[in-house]
Amino acid sequence: MVSDMKFEDGTLLRLRSPEPGGVPLLSLMPGLGAHRLAVRVEVERLDVAEAVNQATLSGELRAAGGLGWIGSFLPTPVPLRTKADRVSVDLIVPLISEQVLELERHRNGQDMAVLLDVEGALPQSSGHPFARVQEEQRVPASVWENQIEQLGLAVSFTVTVPLPMNGGPLATAAKHLRTADRQITAGEYPDAIRETRLAVGAMRKLNIWPQNGSKKRDDQDQDDRYGIILDRLTDQADAYADLVQAVFTQASGPQHNDGAIGRHHA
């Protein structure tokens, strides 16, 4: 990407993509259910009007190919009076896990194509302080998938179960998930984990999605990727169950101050 952002007061900024081999254009920073998608942009000042010392970049990010709007960039300040003529900034879009999953469905193993709609503003400008550029960018599938893998256990996905709940092949899984939801609300976490494992097991019995797949990433189709998600959900449920049991065991010592516990606290 090389785009010039020209303002009415004569200020001229050039926006560039990162150099190949450096920081990726798109990078995902994991959170607990909510994540940050950062778009790295290098801003070069070619001309700056008098009394202007800062620009603000904002705008929107869209998925190319018809999926549409992903999110809005958080307003990002760009200093224009630094010693270096070029500065790097990250335009941040908040994402939830469901959006990450939807992007993966849309991408379907291909390169990640996005449309950058970047707006610039000059708070100190005496002329018309706004300008705008649009650019479509493609991130290689291997680069984007490395970002997805870095999310790791921070990603949680919502499984949407078809209604009505009393019929259809997923009815059993739906009942387990509904029970787990009530148990989480009631603070009955071990029981909720058990019900979640039963739900995943019921989905596995449908024999729709491959299990314990060993295909290379480039050879995986959509069903293979769903199978991997179910495998990871099962592993996570087992790990959480072990963790909860360990915490319960640790908190279940004898209720007195003599013996080994008394000496430990002395």
Side-chain angles (χ1 to χ4, degrees):
M1 173 182 78
V2 179
S3 297
D4 288 346
M5 182 175 283
K6 187 172 183 179
F7 296 85
E8 190 177 274
D9 65 1
T11 298
L12 180 60
L13 306 179
R14 179 163 292 168
L15 277 55
R16 301 175 183 269
S17 301
E19 296 293 335
V23 177
L25 174 68
L26 300 182
S27 58
L28 280 165
M29 291 167 281
L32 296 176
H35 320 287
R36 297 199 306 167
L37 175 61
V39 181
R40 175 59 62 90
V41 176
E42 295 183 352
V43 182
E44 181 182 3
R45 68 170 191 266
L46 300 180
D47 198 1
V48 179
E50 186 177 354
V52 172
N53 55 37
Q54 179 177 287
T56 300
L57 298 183
S58 58
E60 296 182 339
L61 183 68
R62 295 181 174 85
L67 183 62
W69 183 78
I70 297 175
S72 297
F73 297 124
L74 301 177
T76 304
V78 181
L80 300 179
R81 299 294 181 181
T82 59
K83 292 182 179 180
D85 291 334
R86 186 184 302 182
V87 297
S88 296
V89 297
D90 287 331
L91 303 178
I92 303 297
V93 176
L95 290 181
I96 60 174
S97 296
E98 286 80 359
Q99 288 175 288
V100 177
L101 181 59
E102 186 61 31
L103 285 172
E104 282 300 274
R105 287 174 177 163
H106 175 73
R107 187 177 65 86
N108 195 26
Q110 305 302 309
D111 291 348
M112 182 66 176
V114 294
L115 178 65
L116 306 178
D117 190 348
V118 183
E119 299 176 353
L122 302 175
Q124 302 91 11
S125 178
S126 59
H128 186 70
F130 302 105
R132 177 183 175 187
V133 296
Q134 282 188 331
E135 280 281 348
E136 182 172 324
Q137 293 288 294
R138 303 188 73 86
V139 177
S142 59
V143 175
W144 175 251
E145 287 163 4
N146 285 336
Q147 297 296 321
I148 292 294
E149 290 176 358
Q150 290 178 19
L151 291 184
L153 297 182
V155 178
S156 60
F157 296 106
T158 298
V159 178
T160 302
V161 181
L163 299 176
M165 301 282 280
N166 58 355
L170 289 176
T172 300
K175 291 177 181 178
H176 288 304
L177 289 175
R178 184 168 57 181
T179 301
D181 182 61
R182 290 198 300 264
Q183 290 167 338
I184 289 174
T185 302
E188 300 169 355
Y189 301 115
D191 291 335
I193 292 172
R194 182 181 64 83
E195 290 294 336
T196 301
R197 294 169 70 183
L198 290 173
V200 175
M203 295 173 71
R204 276 296 187 200
K205 290 180 181 179
L206 297 176
N207 293 321
I208 297 174
W209 302 284
Q211 188 169 5
N212 300 321
S214 58
K215 290 184 180 179
K216 294 182 178 179
R217 179 185 298 160
D218 294 341
D219 296 331
Q220 294 171 0
D221 58 19
Q222 193 69 59
D223 285 343
D224 292 320
R225 289 190 287 274
Y226 278 128
I228 291 172
I229 289 174
L230 288 179
D231 286 341
R232 290 181 178 176
L233 285 173
T234 302
D235 292 341
Q236 289 182 41
D238 290 339
Y240 285 138
D242 292 341
L243 176 60
V244 170
Q245 183 59 50
V247 172
F248 177 79
T249 300
Q250 179 67 21
S252 299
Q255 303 298 308
H256 52 72
N257 291 324
D258 57 354
I261 292 182
R263 289 192 296 270
H264 176 75
H265 288 288

